[in-house]
Amino acid sequence: MTDPTDARPAAPRPTDPLDARQAASRTTDPTDVHQAAAPTRDPLDVHQALAGVRYPESVSLHPDGDRVACVIDGVAHVVTLDGVLEAVGDCQGPVRWLPDGRLLRTPSPSELAVEGWRARVDGEIEDLIPGEDGTVLVRLADPGSDRDGSHLGLRVPDESDPFVLTPGGRLRRLAWFELGDDRPHEIVLPGLTVWDADWRDRRALAVTSEDETPAGYYRPRLDLVEDGEVRTLHRTSWQLSRPRLAPGGRTAVVVEGLSIVSGRVLRADLVTGEVAYLGELDDVTDLGWLDDQTLWFTGWSGTGVHGGVLDAADGRVLSRWTARGTLGGRDGQPSLSADRAGTVAAACWESPELPPEVAVAVLGEGEWRPVTALNAGLAGLAVHQEETTWTGRDGLPISGLLLTTPEHGDTTPEHGAGPRPLVVMVHGGPTWLWSSSFAPAESNQLAVPLAHAGAAVLLPNPRGSSGRGQDYARAVIGQAGEADLDDVLAGVDHLVATGVADPDRVAIMGLSYGGYLTAWAVTRTDRFRAAVVMSGVSDWLSFSTASNLAGGFDPLYHAGADPATAEGRERLAARSPVHHAAKAAKAATPTLILHGERDRTTPPGQAEQLYRAWSAAGVSTQLVLYPREGHELVEPAHRRDAAQRVIGWLTGGGVL
């Protein structure tokens, strides 16, 4: 019998953006991480080359499992399993296969279309969920509504002048279409905004909140909408994602976890109303029904991913695989698409040796094989990645990724690599992680360029991170900036003690919560020669009223510290870098601050407060504000400028 994943990739693009001759002379066996290590290159050239990575988004497998749809650079494509790639048309949102095999796409942010039919909605389409009955559910966001932090901390574009906000006035909503009919049917959810949804037999299962801002995402509920009636199935102080209605209509599942949700599976009996965890499986980020008895799942596993098949009755794991790499998906979480028979899966797959590509696998085995070669010319930029483990102050094992470019992947002095500059890059969240990927994207995709500059780059996953279960993820609650920072500093000590890092040339940087830990570290230790704070929090007090997610984030991660009370304000200030500027002055760590002018997740006032506090205390600092940018930089000129400034700052600080 033919293995459907035994497909040959399309012919690679012939030119390495930096040096085609050098790439052609290299061994390309992706299983040999030592041979995959690239020689040192100019980090700015590497950063510029990585800016050309093409990411296949919204990967959707045809019901028959013989082709895959995806969106590449704003165009819908279909690729066969033997690597034939064909452009279909403009696509500014998701793309989905209908049960009858036709392709549904979004030609513009407010349009959906399939073979001669096109309809428009009043808002921006965030998701399309086809039904089995010739209908499609549309999840859309009103113009002017807040995006969450995973969507750059910006608003959905709205050109109204003046721009007016009223509570409950800018929502995420649901509507559905009969295919062929251009009139949408609104699903009325009074006073609720919708974060995620599923659709089956003209019933909607939705993750909702009363608060229309991203803060509401931290206080969600699970609602079933049927015949115009809304029934709440579950409320939680954790977060929910990926609601899924079962065939037959009796049960539903949803993932319950922390923040950008990685967690356990909840099963809801729609007849009795009983809701309970389904088995012990953890760190699930996506799942779907194969039939009314079984589910497929995927998610994080350490710094890699896992997936397989789950019994929907008792939660038994029927098959499970793990893989060293990353499955790209919505909100950056592992996601995949399965065929109708439940045998083949498709996803955007990348590994330390392989840039992102559309790939397929046997659903129960997880051996991912690329069927595109969108980024073949970048393979020569791969660096050596290894998982490294150390012990936290209390004895808890902590791990992370170490990126280097030694001649043969060696990181020990006896092999000639010697102690080298160390750059510690702290991830955001805090419930997020660094995963095994070709070029980790957070913090302006600088991890690989800095490794090419000759540094050892540590990507730590301290307590609070995903990939190690809910107990590990929740260990940061009420302890922000305490044990998690200790875990990061212990990782530095470990690399110094093992001869990997030069203790006199160590820098720290991070984005979002990672930016907070960076600024906080400057008030706690003088071991860093330079620091870079990107879109960071500097004052939890002002964050509690200015951020679009603070009303949810603060009660969760600060364990209920209430800024309306003197005790709450004291607790928030105690962990805010701006209130410890004198300690930063004593450490005297030069600090570069980068921030987007339109960031609503960590508003630019956070950067301005830090700059004023540090400069008033005599700390060497510089603030760079990027116009039009949100929580992360996206404009190519700004990304280049930020890379130049970071590398210049680390060089000037004596780290590189």
PDB file of all heavy atoms in Angstrom, residues 20-34:
ATOM      1  N   ALA A  20      25.202  31.318  -2.741  1.00  0.00           N
ATOM      2  CA  ALA A  20      24.708  30.080  -3.337  1.00  0.00           C
ATOM      3  C   ALA A  20      25.814  29.041  -3.437  1.00  0.00           C
ATOM      4  O   ALA A  20      25.588  27.860  -3.223  1.00  0.00           O
ATOM      5  CB  ALA A  20      24.127  30.362  -4.723  1.00  0.00           C
ATOM      6  N   ARG A  21      27.024  29.475  -3.746  1.00  0.00           N
ATOM      7  CA  ARG A  21      28.105  28.501  -3.903  1.00  0.00           C
ATOM      8  C   ARG A  21      28.423  27.818  -2.585  1.00  0.00           C
ATOM      9  O   ARG A  21      28.661  26.618  -2.523  1.00  0.00           O
ATOM     10  CB  ARG A  21      29.356  29.211  -4.437  1.00  0.00           C
ATOM     11  CG  ARG A  21      29.214  29.680  -5.888  1.00  0.00           C
ATOM     12  CD  ARG A  21      30.335  30.591  -6.274  1.00  0.00           C
ATOM     13  NE  ARG A  21      30.324  31.796  -5.454  1.00  0.00           N
ATOM     14  CZ  ARG A  21      31.243  32.762  -5.538  1.00  0.00           C
ATOM     15  NH1 ARG A  21      32.242  32.642  -6.382  1.00  0.00           N
ATOM     16  NH2 ARG A  21      31.149  33.821  -4.773  1.00  0.00           N
ATOM     17  N   GLN A  22      28.417  28.598  -1.504  1.00  0.00           N
ATOM     18  CA  GLN A  22      28.699  28.021  -0.203  1.00  0.00           C
ATOM     19  C   GLN A  22      27.621  27.033   0.200  1.00  0.00           C
ATOM     20  O   GLN A  22      27.894  25.956   0.710  1.00  0.00           O
ATOM     21  CB  GLN A  22      28.792  29.148   0.833  1.00  0.00           C
ATOM     22  CG  GLN A  22      29.295  28.688   2.188  1.00  0.00           C
ATOM     23  CD  GLN A  22      29.471  29.855   3.118  1.00  0.00           C
ATOM     24  OE1 GLN A  22      28.599  30.694   3.233  1.00  0.00           O
ATOM     25  NE2 GLN A  22      30.609  29.922   3.776  1.00  0.00           N
ATOM     26  N   ALA A  23      26.346  27.375  -0.053  1.00  0.00           N
ATOM     27  CA  ALA A  23      25.238  26.483   0.284  1.00  0.00           C
ATOM     28  C   ALA A  23      25.335  25.191  -0.513  1.00  0.00           C
ATOM     29  O   ALA A  23      25.066  24.109   0.001  1.00  0.00           O
ATOM     30  CB  ALA A  23      23.900  27.167   0.024  1.00  0.00           C
ATOM     31  N   ALA A  24      25.709  25.296  -1.782  1.00  0.00           N
ATOM     32  CA  ALA A  24      25.777  24.117  -2.635  1.00  0.00           C
ATOM     33  C   ALA A  24      26.863  23.154  -2.188  1.00  0.00           C
ATOM     34  O   ALA A  24      26.781  21.954  -2.423  1.00  0.00           O
ATOM     35  CB  ALA A  24      26.016  24.539  -4.084  1.00  0.00           C
ATOM     36  N   SER A  25      27.895  23.672  -1.522  1.00  0.00           N
ATOM     37  CA  SER A  25      29.006  22.822  -1.125  1.00  0.00           C
ATOM     38  C   SER A  25      28.781  22.144   0.216  1.00  0.00           C
ATOM     39  O   SER A  25      29.561  21.309   0.636  1.00  0.00           O
ATOM     40  CB  SER A  25      30.293  23.661  -1.033  1.00  0.00           C
ATOM     41  OG  SER A  25      30.204  24.592   0.041  1.00  0.00           O
ATOM     42  N   ARG A  26      27.666  22.489   0.907  1.00  0.00           N
ATOM     43  CA  ARG A  26      27.431  21.970   2.240  1.00  0.00           C
ATOM     44  C   ARG A  26      26.682  20.647   2.203  1.00  0.00           C
ATOM     45  O   ARG A  26      25.873  20.394   1.334  1.00  0.00           O
ATOM     46  CB  ARG A  26      26.623  22.973   3.075  1.00  0.00           C
ATOM     47  CG  ARG A  26      27.394  24.253   3.365  1.00  0.00           C
ATOM     48  CD  ARG A  26      26.579  25.179   4.239  1.00  0.00           C
ATOM     49  NE  ARG A  26      25.912  24.473   5.316  1.00  0.00           N
ATOM     50  CZ  ARG A  26      26.538  23.992   6.399  1.00  0.00           C
ATOM     51  NH1 ARG A  26      27.827  24.158   6.511  1.00  0.00           N
ATOM     52  NH2 ARG A  26      25.866  23.362   7.325  1.00  0.00           N
ATOM     53  N   THR A  27      26.916  19.809   3.208  1.00  0.00           N
ATOM     54  CA  THR A  27      26.128  18.602   3.370  1.00  0.00           C
ATOM     55  C   THR A  27      24.738  18.989   3.820  1.00  0.00           C
ATOM     56  O   THR A  27      24.578  19.816   4.703  1.00  0.00           O
ATOM     57  CB  THR A  27      26.791  17.684   4.421  1.00  0.00           C
ATOM     58  OG1 THR A  27      28.104  17.359   3.964  1.00  0.00           O
ATOM     59  CG2 THR A  27      25.977  16.417   4.628  1.00  0.00           C
ATOM     60  N   THR A  28      23.711  18.382   3.265  1.00  0.00           N
ATOM     61  CA  THR A  28      22.343  18.812   3.555  1.00  0.00           C
ATOM     62  C   THR A  28      21.528  17.759   4.283  1.00  0.00           C
ATOM     63  O   THR A  28      20.317  17.816   4.295  1.00  0.00           O
ATOM     64  CB  THR A  28      21.612  19.172   2.245  1.00  0.00           C
ATOM     65  OG1 THR A  28      21.653  18.033   1.377  1.00  0.00           O
ATOM     66  CG2 THR A  28      22.265  20.346   1.566  1.00  0.00           C
ATOM     67  N   ASP A  29      22.184  16.758   4.873  1.00  0.00           N
ATOM     68  CA  ASP A  29      21.447  15.749   5.640  1.00  0.00           C
ATOM     69  C   ASP A  29      20.820  16.413   6.858  1.00  0.00           C
ATOM     70  O   ASP A  29      21.510  16.833   7.779  1.00  0.00           O
ATOM     71  CB  ASP A  29      22.413  14.650   6.096  1.00  0.00           C
ATOM     72  CG  ASP A  29      21.717  13.576   6.921  1.00  0.00           C
ATOM     73  OD1 ASP A  29      20.494  13.708   7.149  1.00  0.00           O
ATOM     74  OD2 ASP A  29      22.398  12.633   7.335  1.00  0.00           O
ATOM     75  N   PRO A  30      19.475  16.557   6.897  1.00  0.00           N
ATOM     76  CA  PRO A  30      18.858  17.290   7.987  1.00  0.00           C
ATOM     77  C   PRO A  30      18.905  16.580   9.325  1.00  0.00           C
ATOM     78  O   PRO A  30      18.556  17.153  10.334  1.00  0.00           O
ATOM     79  CB  PRO A  30      17.397  17.448   7.518  1.00  0.00           C
ATOM     80  CG  PRO A  30      17.166  16.271   6.637  1.00  0.00           C
ATOM     81  CD  PRO A  30      18.483  16.030   5.954  1.00  0.00           C
ATOM     82  N   THR A  31      19.345  15.331   9.362  1.00  0.00           N
ATOM     83  CA  THR A  31      19.417  14.623  10.633  1.00  0.00           C
ATOM     84  C   THR A  31      20.730  14.876  11.345  1.00  0.00           C
ATOM     85  O   THR A  31      20.889  14.510  12.504  1.00  0.00           O
ATOM     86  CB  THR A  31      19.257  13.109  10.410  1.00  0.00           C
ATOM     87  OG1 THR A  31      20.373  12.625   9.635  1.00  0.00           O
ATOM     88  CG2 THR A  31      17.967  12.802   9.672  1.00  0.00           C
ATOM     89  N   ASP A  32      21.695  15.481  10.689  1.00  0.00           N
ATOM     90  CA  ASP A  32      23.014  15.708  11.275  1.00  0.00           C
ATOM     91  C   ASP A  32      23.127  17.171  11.670  1.00  0.00           C
ATOM     92  O   ASP A  32      23.480  18.022  10.871  1.00  0.00           O
ATOM     93  CB  ASP A  32      24.107  15.340  10.264  1.00  0.00           C
ATOM     94  CG  ASP A  32      25.494  15.338  10.915  1.00  0.00           C
ATOM     95  OD1 ASP A  32      25.651  16.026  11.938  1.00  0.00           O
ATOM     96  OD2 ASP A  32      26.386  14.650  10.394  1.00  0.00           O
ATOM     97  N   VAL A  33      22.834  17.481  12.934  1.00  0.00           N
ATOM     98  CA  VAL A  33      22.834  18.881  13.349  1.00  0.00           C
ATOM     99  C   VAL A  33      24.243  19.462  13.376  1.00  0.00           C
ATOM    100  O   VAL A  33      24.419  20.665  13.271  1.00  0.00           O
ATOM    101  CB  VAL A  33      22.169  19.045  14.733  1.00  0.00           C
ATOM    102  CG1 VAL A  33      20.715  18.678  14.665  1.00  0.00           C
ATOM    103  CG2 VAL A  33      22.878  18.218  15.790  1.00  0.00           C
ATOM    104  N   HIS A  34      25.254  18.618  13.529  1.00  0.00           N
ATOM    105  CA  HIS A  34      26.619  19.135  13.518  1.00  0.00           C
ATOM    106  C   HIS A  34      26.992  19.614  12.121  1.00  0.00           C
ATOM    107  O   HIS A  34      27.519  20.700  11.930  1.00  0.00           O
ATOM    108  CB  HIS A  34      27.604  18.050  13.992  1.00  0.00           C
ATOM    109  CG  HIS A  34      27.355  17.619  15.402  1.00  0.00           C
ATOM    110  ND1 HIS A  34      27.534  18.461  16.462  1.00  0.00           N
ATOM    111  CD2 HIS A  34      26.917  16.447  15.918  1.00  0.00           C
ATOM    112  CE1 HIS A  34      27.249  17.827  17.592  1.00  0.00           C
ATOM    113  NE2 HIS A  34      26.857  16.599  17.277  1.00  0.00           N
TER     114      HIS A  34
END
